[in-house]
Amino acid sequence: YSLQDQFDNLEKHTQWGIDVLEKYIKFVKERTEIELSYAKQLRNLSKKYQPKKNSKEEEEYRYTSTRAFLATLNEMNDYAGQHEVISENMTSLITAELTRYVQELKQERKSHFHDGRKAQQHIETCWKQLEASKRRFERDCKEADRAQQYFEKMDADINVTKADVEKARQQAQLRHQMAEDSKAEYSSTLQKFNSEQHEHYYTHIPNIFQKIQEMEERRIVRIGESMKTFAEVDRQVIPIIGKCLDEITKAAESVDHKNDSQMVIEAFKSGFEPPGDVDFEDFTQPMKRTVSESSLSNSRGDGKSEPKFGSKSKGKLWPFIKKNKLMSLLTSPHQPPPPPPASASPSAVPNGPQSPKQQKEPLSHRFNEFMTSKPKIHCFRSLKRGGAGPEDFSNLPPEQRRKKLQQKVDELNRDIQKEMDSRDALTKMKDVYIKNPQMGDAASVDHRLAELGQNIEKLRLEVQKFEGWLAEVEGRLPARGEQPRRQSGVYEAQNASGVNSCAQDRESPDGSYTEEQSQETEMKVPATDFDDEFDDEEPLPTIGTCKALYTFEGQNEGTISVAEGEMLYVIEEDKGDGWTRIRRNEDEEGYVPTSYVEVYLDKNAK
């Protein structure tokens, strides 16, 4: 039974070895899951902080510091990829291989122990046969001994007949012969058992145990190799991870603070020149003010000539308030002008129909209303960040406006090129259809070609419009050496005729406006609330275009002069009063007689 005990112990030990192998497989599998989860979290982290496409956040990544951060995010993505490689290699080289090996090991172990049990059962069967032969031999010997004793007793008894004695003798001989046969069988069985037992203990069982030992040693070697592979899989990605870290270090070393500062300067410079020195205001001199309906005059008791906003001497109003909007607040009533007479009297105005009438208010009342009202004014910085601005970007400072207009022109040119490429491709297709009618109908592409032609024409008109604005802005940008002059919130206006025609004046390059030299008046206006802010009011959108049929001088208040053949934008169509409101550019707009222009309204305009 010692063999049985050892056999059972071996069976338990080999099962424990398989359990250890399966436990290691489970460990590696959980490690691969952790690597995958870690890689997924790293990728999500990198994706979370990636700049969104076509957003302002994407524009911020032009600085070296943010580009370095973007490079870090990309390298973290590659870093996550290496952890995915670790997971994949461990799964293929360890988990999958060991799982297959465990199945083979179980089959081999089962086969070996089946052979062992079979050999054990065979030797046990031989032993049982030997025991049965031995017991039979013992029984026959006892039976023969009893038969001999009975024969001798019968032979000694004189009262027993000779036949009974002969019968007892024959019975004794028979039993003795059976005992001899049993002895011979027992001897043969014993020899056979001894031979089988020797074969069992010295041949079969050692062979089986040797196979089990080899199987167990292969299992031990295999789990050791798997542990080595476990380390090698990690070691293989270390150089690539090191490269990722080196790239992050390289990106960090590429941060250039000087370059970033210069980019901020280029991005936010407005094009305005710094204000000049503030003039001394002598309040000891008597000052008299007369208020008229359309102008401000200043009595000059000291006889000194005041500074002029002429073509040579340029002054600045508030940097972020357009001249026209300020003047319209001072001179134009809030309510729209009443409709002119149905039939214009040519004699009333030398150059044509009467201008729209406007109720006049005392200018002092209008100025007080302007100073006490709170128009919609936003900080320049907040307007830059968001919000829809006018189409010509007139809400931006000159330099920023120039950049935006240039970007728009480039974008439109790209769209034109794309449309032209499509048109060229369709034209070639049409030529192919004409040469080979079986390939398609040439007339089927005419409609699309016409649409492309219209689109290209529209885009070219848009480019001309934006190029005009761009040329206008580039003409206004100040020279570096120009020294503006600050008027301490004092602006000069012309007399009544100058005020009425101020809508036709152009802004000076430094953002102020110019006036023709004439009799000037001055008025003190606090500028503290306007130094860093500007009016966010959007201009009226254009609803079409018009062509001037005749020249119109536009000398009256609210009108605008036009030249024959000039193309302008319509911002308000005739309401039945005979006047149409038009715009030449962002600074010049007003009314002209409807009969003087030919209007082309845009059907898509709201």
Side-chain angles (χ1 to χ4, degrees), residues 444-577:
S444 61
V445 298
D446 290 341
H447 179 68
R448 179 58 181 161
L449 283 173
E451 287 183 356
L452 289 174
Q454 293 175 1
N455 293 340
I456 292 173
E457 189 62 29
K458 288 180 181 178
L459 289 172
R460 283 174 175 168
L461 290 175
E462 286 290 313
V463 168
Q464 292 177 3
K465 178 172 66 176
F466 280 95
E467 284 179 344
W469 287 333
L470 182 61
E472 177 185 343
V473 172
E474 289 176 343
R476 293 186 192 178
L477 289 178
R480 291 293 181 185
E482 220 175 278
Q483 179 65 31
R485 180 185 180 93
R486 186 179 182 120
Q487 298 298 327
S488 180
V490 178
Y491 82 95
E492 296 185 359
Q494 294 179 343
N495 52 17
S497 62
V499 172
N500 290 336
S501 61
C502 69
Q504 284 77 27
D505 297 330
R506 303 297 295 269
E507 290 184 4
S508 63
D510 60 355
S512 63
Y513 64 94
T514 59
E515 303 284 350
E516 295 299 325
Q517 292 186 354
S518 61
Q519 181 182 359
E520 289 88 2
T521 60
E522 68 174 18
M523 177 182 65
K524 296 178 182 178
V525 180
T528 57
D529 293 334
F530 303 91
D531 287 340
D532 295 320
E533 298 178 343
F534 69 99
D535 194 351
D536 194 312
E537 181 183 357
E538 296 184 4
L540 290 175
T542 60
I543 61 174
T545 57
C546 67
K547 179 180 180 181
L549 301 175
Y550 314 101
T551 301
F552 178 67
E553 298 297 334
Q555 296 179 352
N556 291 56
E557 187 174 359
T559 61
I560 181 174
S561 61
V562 296
E564 183 179 351
E566 184 178 4
M567 295 296 297
L568 305 105
Y569 296 101
V570 178
I571 58 176
E572 185 178 324
E573 59 182 320
D574 190 351
K575 302 296 184 180
D577 54 5

Side-chain angles (χ1 to χ4, degrees), residues 193-253:
F193 174 77
N194 288 335
S195 176
E196 290 288 345
Q197 182 175 257
H198 185 275
E199 188 76 16
H200 177 78
Y201 283 109
Y202 290 96
T203 304
H204 295 312
I205 291 299
N207 288 339
I208 292 172
F209 279 14
Q210 181 67 29
K211 291 178 181 179
I212 293 175
Q213 180 180 349
E214 291 174 357
M215 177 192 71
E216 186 67 10
E217 288 176 353
R218 285 199 307 271
R219 179 193 65 81
I220 295 171
V221 170
R222 191 64 176 267
I223 195 171
E225 290 176 350
S226 298
M227 291 178 181
K228 184 178 179 181
T229 304
F230 183 85
E232 287 298 326
V233 167
D234 249 339
R235 186 176 287 110
Q236 286 174 0
V237 301
I238 288 177
I240 303 178
I241 291 178
K243 288 182 180 179
C244 293
L245 299 178
D246 291 342
E247 289 297 325
I248 293 176
T249 304
K250 183 179 178 181
E253 292 173 351

